[in-house]
Amino acid sequence: MTENVLSNYVGGQWVESRSSEARQVVNPATAEVLARVPLSADEEVRDAIAAAGAAYPAWRRTPPPVRARCLYKLKDRIARDFEALARLLVREHGKTIAEARGEMQRTLECVEVACGVPSLMMGYNAEDIAPGIDEYALVQPLGAFACIAPFNFPAMVPFWFLPFAVACGDTYVVKPSPETPCSQVKLFELMDEVGFQPGVVNLVHGGAQAAQVLMTSPDVAGVSFVGSSKIARVVYRTCAGTGMRVQAQGAAKNYLLVMPDADLDTAVPNIIGSVYGCTGQRCLAGAVVLACEQTCEGLTQRLLEAANALRVGYGLDEDTDMGPLESQAKMENVLNWIERGITEGARLLLDGRAIKVEGFEDGYFVGPMAFDGVSAEMAIANEEVFGPVMAILRVRDFEEALDIIAANPYGNASSIYTSSGSHAREFRYRVECGNIGINVGVAAPVPYFPFGGMKESFFGDLHGQGQDAIRFFTDRKVVIERWP
Amino acid sequence: MTENVLSNYVGGQWVESRSSEARQVVNPATAEVLARVPLSADEEVRDAIAAAGAAYPAWRRTPPPVRARCLYKLKDRIARDFEALARLLVREHGKTIAEARGEMQRTLECVEVACGVPSLMMGYNAEDIAPGIDEYALVQPLGAFACIAPFNFPAMVPFWFLPFAVACGDTYVVKPSPETPCSQVKLFELMDEVGFQPGVVNLVHGGAQAAQVLMTSPDVAGVSFVGSSKIARVVYRTCAGTGMRVQAQGAAKNYLLVMPDADLDTAVPNIIGSVYGCTGQRCLAGAVVLACEQTCEGLTQRLLEAANALRVGYGLDEDTDMGPLESQAKMENVLNWIERGITEGARLLLDGRAIKVEGFEDGYFVGPMAFDGVSAEMAIANEEVFGPVMAILRVRDFEEALDIIAANPYGNASSIYTSSGSHAREFRYRVECGNIGINVGVAAPVPYFPFGGMKESFFGDLHGQGQDAIRFFTDRKVVIERWP
Amino acid sequence: MTENVLSNYVGGQWVESRSSEARQVVNPATAEVLARVPLSADEEVRDAIAAAGAAYPAWRRTPPPVRARCLYKLKDRIARDFEALARLLVREHGKTIAEARGEMQRTLECVEVACGVPSLMMGYNAEDIAPGIDEYALVQPLGAFACIAPFNFPAMVPFWFLPFAVACGDTYVVKPSPETPCSQVKLFELMDEVGFQPGVVNLVHGGAQAAQVLMTSPDVAGVSFVGSSKIARVVYRTCAGTGMRVQAQGAAKNYLLVMPDADLDTAVPNIIGSVYGCTGQRCLAGAVVLACEQTCEGLTQRLLEAANALRVGYGLDEDTDMGPLESQAKMENVLNWIERGITEGARLLLDGRAIKVEGFEDGYFVGPMAFDGVSAEMAIANEEVFGPVMAILRVRDFEEALDIIAANPYGNASSIYTSSGSHAREFRYRVECGNIGINVGVAAPVPYFPFGGMKESFFGDLHGQGQDAIRFFTDRKVVIERWP
Amino acid sequence: MTENVLSNYVGGQWVESRSSEARQVVNPATAEVLARVPLSADEEVRDAIAAAGAAYPAWRRTPPPVRARCLYKLKDRIARDFEALARLLVREHGKTIAEARGEMQRTLECVEVACGVPSLMMGYNAEDIAPGIDEYALVQPLGAFACIAPFNFPAMVPFWFLPFAVACGDTYVVKPSPETPCSQVKLFELMDEVGFQPGVVNLVHGGAQAAQVLMTSPDVAGVSFVGSSKIARVVYRTCAGTGMRVQAQGAAKNYLLVMPDADLDTAVPNIIGSVYGCTGQRCLAGAVVLACEQTCEGLTQRLLEAANALRVGYGLDEDTDMGPLESQAKMENVLNWIERGITEGARLLLDGRAIKVEGFEDGYFVGPMAFDGVSAEMAIANEEVFGPVMAILRVRDFEEALDIIAANPYGNASSIYTSSGSHAREFRYRVECGNIGINVGVAAPVPYFPFGGMKESFFGDLHGQGQDAIRFFTDRKVVIERWP
């Protein structure tokens, strides 16, 4: 990572891009330029696909336990360079070092789960479907897959897919976000060290055009995407138009319902973590607190106090609770949302717009912000802000809360804070969100489970991570066998 | 089925279509008109979707074992009316009564498998993903699904999906092929009798426009399609464009490789059954016999004799081995393919074009046909004919045969005839087809298994039938739970 | 059931026992003799085993879907004769008609689950455990199994095993309790009607000696037992001594913990049903109510009122809430327990000893009984009574309650009544019982799940019902395959 | 391993035995004493059980992924000390260094599989078994388990169990064979280094008396045993008598059927490896070659030549093909078997009794031996020899071979050498052995699969390794939940 210009990793080699187009990768706390990232030419993307395709036949024939051993090694390398990776994440993205460690931990865990592939990708079989005739489903890989990654979890998101894909015998191309490509480059350095067969894993930098090449290539077996719902829709349609497999995760507007019987001592810090963690830039961030009337005053007070106490600063300071937004454009977008909320009539109880972080005057910082008096019709209650903004929406009761959640087009995550088994059951049963938290504000599935998503938050049928990932990256080939 | 005009079945009621557009359903052996089938207006399709949507909340809350009990009843009714259904199939489609019984048997079996839904749709759970925190995946239904069905297995194909969907708690809309809608109507009469909650299952007649309404409705959770590859591609893209789930099964060109060590006594009748069964109108029909040089002469001779011995006639005659093609257009298409094969240089060893079936002079009959001297480049070796035409293509050895199969764009089914465990293993390992037969010419998975398909023969990731169907019709909602 | 002397069913034939020993089957409400049941000679038991052994090879080769079809038919027959079976149950056992219907419903459901065997008994497979070497586990049956059944659920308990065993391809011998053999005879009449291959299912009457023959026969692949813990221990040791598989379910002492936040409106009738249902003669019966101090007075009052309101009478009267005990000996045993409880110092708040049921003066009736002031050390709090006796034991709090449950040697079932998700989680996490009820007093697993049991309540590792049953009745044969 | 006297490992501490009884561990190639191993007093065994019991509650509450991380570390340590472990194995047991590496590799793989425990030990769940009532099976550990290990795979066999048990949250006591305890001591040094919670893993040295204490302790949840069938029967009965879980793997007599269509170029070395590998001291060793008449002469000739070419010597010499027997007693037992074979009338074609290995005159060496003219009735064809002795038994055909295998009381493993898919299918379908090789002479399941065993070769229902191990070490607790 000492060189300024990031390279692609294709066919087991670091390759300098021939493209003249590039972007700057900027540390959002300092506005310092960390690297230049090329926007690879179409031909370069096709090279990566071709390398993955060429590596497939031999990799597919490599026994699953042997493939898993590459992942064991990768796991060890990630553990070895854990802290360096976390610090790099802070610098390219702005999140706090604690958040970066959390991201790296989850990245590591995805590799751990994929290490279990020999158990996870087993087929199934039946003797005597008719006398003397046996039938079995073989679980086999499919070819070269690709991931189009978002900026917000630059290390982790590709690892919802890549370890599972290569464990299954597929080969892979990652296109990181051009905003935050550095940690993925570092991870590929580790993969290079581990010694995957050349072409099994490939990295190609680029933007929308590179994504387009991946999505329209007849040589790509499938694409995994994480980003906005608008783009997710396009990805879903485009990849399907090419005829490939596709899973596309979109945006979110996550509700946190606080029932009168919630234990506020644990709920309040948990909500604060959900709303302001990663500066609100995660698809599992709590966005709207649905506060039941009986509990509302005390809750609001405590939330504001806790939000107010958050230390905004450079992520590499261990004391920092909240880092900057990832870019100037993202900061401006958040500020626009604040304007819009005010215009809509919400009361801005906590205004972090004017924050200054000493020594980091060029950073894209905003402080924690909170609206009260939000109503269900406001855009601020319905659209993704992707910033540290809490909307408090008072509801009469459980049923009104569920109606509001049901009316929202997104279905990524929702949480309830309660001590009632009954309300917890109804909530998980009825709320159409893929990830449900019960007294848990960030319902992030451990990677032994799929990462859920419904409605406008997910397009496809098989999710990332867990058994879903294994199925997405394999096919079930059915064999009927008779021996005369 | 005594009435002339077929009705839609919507919301638990038989509803006469208000559409003025209609088609005739014709018995292809007699050219007699069996019924008029309406091409429902968009609004009528939307009514069916709406009925399914309205039925969903209560049906979803019906316990799976109770839902299964509706299917047990349906199974009993199908068994009761088995012969009547089979005879109806013969009349609307032309297949032989034995083939029709086979189709009904498989239809029944799909219901049987779906009866096991309480075991099949279980979620999974883990305690203590972190101390005191549990995580579990709930398997829940999604809403109203639809099937766009082909003409060739009018009873069975919708049942690759419908029983699984309703077992899972989804509701359903079937749009049968307007060419062969009658047996599906009869099956809906049985479902009506069984007493599903109104709106759980719906039937709407129509053609491409009705399909379009289904594929573009935001109220449809997913579509299952079976048809040509060209249309399957469109379906896949269109449904994805709407944002729904989709699985689209396309065409096929299935190769039957006969190794020198094959047991011809069993292989020859099996091949004949594969090629000429259902008059070649099935996606698992053997189309090209890859004959290894050493075995070729004897094999060709025996195949021709066996093909020549097939009795062509009305399907309701128990003696008939092969019925007519399903329509005049389909007959003409097959005849065109014969012309094309001849033009390409293949030798037509068996010419069934001039066949006359006494008493059925108006029927769309052709006799069994066979080309020898087919080479890998000819269209007749590569494109789906969907008729009783065998192409014999001589290959040097196993490897050449696998190269030819690999070069074909379709990946539905392929079979090998051999006594060698080694060749069988290599074949199933390497051939990119979803359904592999080893000494089995029609590799039709029992419905406990998915119905495979690869390359241009399938678009999507989860197949019909078996555990794949359960996953297609459900989502995995992840819950993370902590109790402070 | 019109004949007086019950026959064995061996090798597809009803066979009169040659034994001179016999017992009377008595209707416990009327003391009327229903039938004479022979205590079959050792040779007759061996005949049944031999018949099962002889039937095994062909039955094992019968395709699972075909085997399942026998079960579908059996299911239909049970449904057809449902009411007659339920009434017979009442007459031979004494339970109420509603309870008998419940038992028959569960019996039916066991058959339903076993119908799903083609999905449930699949093996699993992996390609390329080393290059070119494949490995798979075939799931295959084992031979002739047997069940030694208890008196209390004469129809159902053998069906926790038999349908699963025969679905898996094993053959079976049932030895019913000689106290209540009649409904099982009737079920075998239905199995005879269904047309299982001769010898697949066999019924042999007898007592301890017949059981001994089954347990020590080298031709029995495994035994399933349900009864007392003392005998279960002997069964476990004896069968293991023979070298066979064995699962032995024993006695129970089930605690019902009522937390202060329980909803008493639903809890009270649920507790009453648990304690007094089946006159307390079931292994899932609630025996000790652990009443938290805060809630104790009100709860006790309401429980007594509800118990007091139960109508004791003949089970065939639809109005009856509680029938007699199953035999005079069992009645005397219960009365002894009452004496013992009084001697130990518990207060008998509800005394049903002197009850008279008009018109049924010879029946083995007792009324509902309840002790208060029970302490953890008393035998009445620790040992199984198997009668309609509630012991109320006051506890300080949740932790004391869990300590009491932990100290008990049995581990069959326990329930908690609470509205707290937290207490529910701790309870299910920590209580060492196989069946846990959360606001459910009779935690009887639906047969898609195993019927749990821990500590002295179960000996073995695989339970009855569900996936456990499938595994108990099959072996996993591992094949490693290479083709040079 | 530098100290002379081996210690127990109890509660996280190396503890010197207070027992005065001890045995010598001898290098069988040199007769040099490697160590003294104590035969621990009953009290010491109970200490180990108590330590495991005390560690259980906290270990059980440790999240599965965290438990798995201990195993990941252990895996890394084993990999680090791989060669030292292998060399130690050679010294304590006599096997060749290549065989020792194979054993260590498999030991390592067992740990790898257990690392996947968070996926493998998931429970399952169903919503709405009745309206509003949910049911789920929690998979939970049970307590302290123990292994009584054999001498022949001193490192590996305890690892068929221990990693799975501790992964599942159980704690463990290993009693190694007192003949070969050293490598297990070394593995416990690695476990000590890894930092399991004290008491999670324990090692106690001893012989039959120590085993007796383990098998009769009420504080042991279950025992896994591998050894002779005679002792396995006793273990099964004894543990069952205590009421605990038990799986007991016994002896073997494995047949290798060579069909006329076998590829002898691959079969011959494979058979030689199976028969003479580990000097015949493994339960998967091929013992009887069933040679089809047509192929017999050539096969016998080639087998003898290949056997004759084996270099017998010290296992630490890389050139050695076959090491000594493990002890003088075992050598004498083998020599007695040779006498017996001769007496029975078999022809000793290859006589390794007089072999001398230069420089290792005190070692327990015999050379490869082979009998021809063996008939099915001879003891040499039916009983386990556990030495490098091949019995060649000529059979007419496939059916006679299967009859001979069926008549043998053991059911551990059998292999067929053939190119015929048909014979392979019949063989795996019909042969009652738990481990089947198709062109594979040592059918050792990779640890993702259970290690099979039938008839006298296995007592119990769940096997070691794979999903069976997970089930053996956990219970399925069923919860039924309703929220009023």
Side-chain angles (χ1 to χ4, degrees), chain B residues 93 95-96 99 152-153 273 275-282 321-325 386-387:
Chain B
H93 174 278
K95 60 183 66 180
T96 71
E99 289 162 356
N152 61 335
F153 287 91
V275 173
Y276 300 110
C278 296
T279 322
Q281 296 171 106
R282 61 181 164 195
D321 294 315
M322 194 173 99
L325 289 158
F386 235 58

Side-chain angles (χ1 to χ4, degrees), chain C residues 129-186:
Chain C
I129 56 158
I133 302 184
D134 304 326
E135 183 166 339
Y136 42 99
L138 301 173
V139 176
Q140 298 182 337
L142 284 148
F145 281 81
C147 165
I148 301 168
F151 82 91
N152 62 336
F153 284 91
M156 177 184 73
V157 169
F159 273 63
W160 287 350
F161 312 109
L162 179 146
F164 294 91
V166 301
C168 287
D170 297 301
T171 54
Y172 215 74
V173 179
V174 172
K175 190 203 80 55
S177 165
E179 304 188 55
T180 51
C182 299
S183 53
Q184 200 63 213
V185 166
K186 174 76 179 158

Side-chain angles (χ1 to χ4, degrees), chain A residues 395-418:
Chain A
V395 292
R396 236 182 358 267
D397 56 15
F398 183 78
E399 290 300 332
E400 188 190 0
L402 261 66
D403 288 346
I404 289 172
I405 298 173
N408 188 269
Y410 299 108
N412 207 47
S414 275
S415 298
I416 184 172
Y417 294 89
T418 184

Side-chain angles (χ1 to χ4, degrees), chain B residues 69 128 134 425 428-429, chain C residues 112 128 134 425 428-429:
Chain B
R69 253 157 240 150
D128 283 330
D134 304 326
R425 196 269 178 183
R428 76 180 186 221
Y429 187 84
Chain C
E112 286 182 355
D128 283 330
D134 304 326
R425 197 268 179 185
R428 76 180 187 221
Y429 187 83

Side-chain angles (χ1 to χ4, degrees), chain B residues 194-247:
Chain B
V194 158
F196 282 95
Q197 295 165 14
V200 170
V201 292
N202 304 274
L203 176 77
V204 61
H205 295 288
Q209 177 56 23
Q212 189 67 17
V213 175
L214 290 169
M215 294 189 291
T216 55
S217 166
D219 298 324
V220 170
V223 158
S224 300
F225 170 85
V226 177
S228 74
S229 291
K230 197 179 132 210
I231 306 296
R233 277 194 167 277
V234 172
V235 167
Y236 191 53
R237 185 182 64 226
T238 306
C239 292
T242 312
M244 67 175 65
R245 292 185 171 202
V246 52
Q247 50 186 191

Side-chain angles (χ1 to χ4, degrees), chain D residues 66-294:
Chain D
V66 176
R67 296 196 302 248
R69 252 157 240 150
C70 286
L71 293 168
Y72 282 119
K73 275 195 210 168
L74 176 58
K75 173 181 134 55
D76 288 346
R77 296 303 189 285
I78 295 175
R80 184 194 67 191
D81 293 353
F82 192 92
E83 192 64 19
L85 279 157
R87 294 180 72 82
L88 181 55
L89 268 176
V90 174
R91 292 174 69 223
E92 73 170 332
H93 175 277
K95 61 184 65 182
T96 70
I97 185 67
E99 289 161 355
R101 286 178 192 131
E103 179 175 350
M104 285 317 307
Q105 178 59 26
R106 191 50 63 98
T107 305
L108 191 66
E109 287 170 14
C110 289
V111 180
E112 286 181 355
V113 179
C115 287
V117 71
S119 296
L120 293 171
M121 79 177 285
M122 285 193 188
Y124 42 98
N125 48 275
E127 284 189 312
D128 282 329
I129 56 157
I133 302 185
D134 303 327
E135 182 166 340
Y136 42 99
L138 301 173
V139 175
Q140 298 183 336
L142 283 148
F145 281 81
C147 165
I148 302 169
F151 81 90
N152 61 336
F153 286 91
M156 178 184 74
V157 169
F159 274 62
W160 286 351
F161 312 108
L162 180 146
F164 293 90
V166 302
C168 287
D170 296 300
T171 54
Y172 215 74
V173 179
V174 173
K175 190 203 79 57
S177 165
E179 304 187 54
T180 52
C182 299
S183 53
Q184 201 61 213
V185 167
K186 174 76 180 158
L187 284 164
F188 268 79
E189 289 173 3
L190 300 185
M191 286 190 268
D192 183 62
E193 196 182 318
V194 157
F196 281 95
Q197 294 166 15
V200 169
V201 293
N202 304 273
L203 176 78
V204 62
H205 296 289
Q209 178 55 24
Q212 189 65 18
V213 176
L214 290 169
M215 293 189 291
T216 54
S217 166
D219 299 324
V220 170
V223 158
S224 300
F225 170 84
V226 178
S228 74
S229 290
K230 198 180 130 210
I231 306 296
R233 274 192 168 277
V234 173
V235 167
Y236 191 52
R237 185 182 62 226
T238 306
C239 292
T242 312
M244 65 176 63
R245 293 185 171 202
V246 52
Q247 51 186 190
Q249 205 165 314
K253 189 73 180 183
N254 304 320
Y255 295 82
L256 308 174
L257 168 57
V258 186
M259 296 299 294
D261 62 358
D263 175 62
L264 292 191
D265 289 346
T266 57
V268 166
N270 198 272
I271 292 169
I272 293 298
S274 174
V275 173
Y276 299 111
C278 296
T279 322
Q281 297 172 106
R282 60 181 164 194
C283 65
L284 292 172
V288 181
V289 174
L290 298 172
C292 273
E293 271 170 8
Q294 303 97 306

Side-chain angles (χ1 to χ4, degrees), chain A residues 251-274:
Chain A
K253 189 72 179 185
N254 304 320
Y255 294 82
L256 308 174
L257 168 58
V258 187
M259 295 299 294
D261 62 358
D263 175 62
L264 292 192
D265 289 346
T266 56
V268 165
N270 198 272
I271 292 169
I272 293 298
S274 175

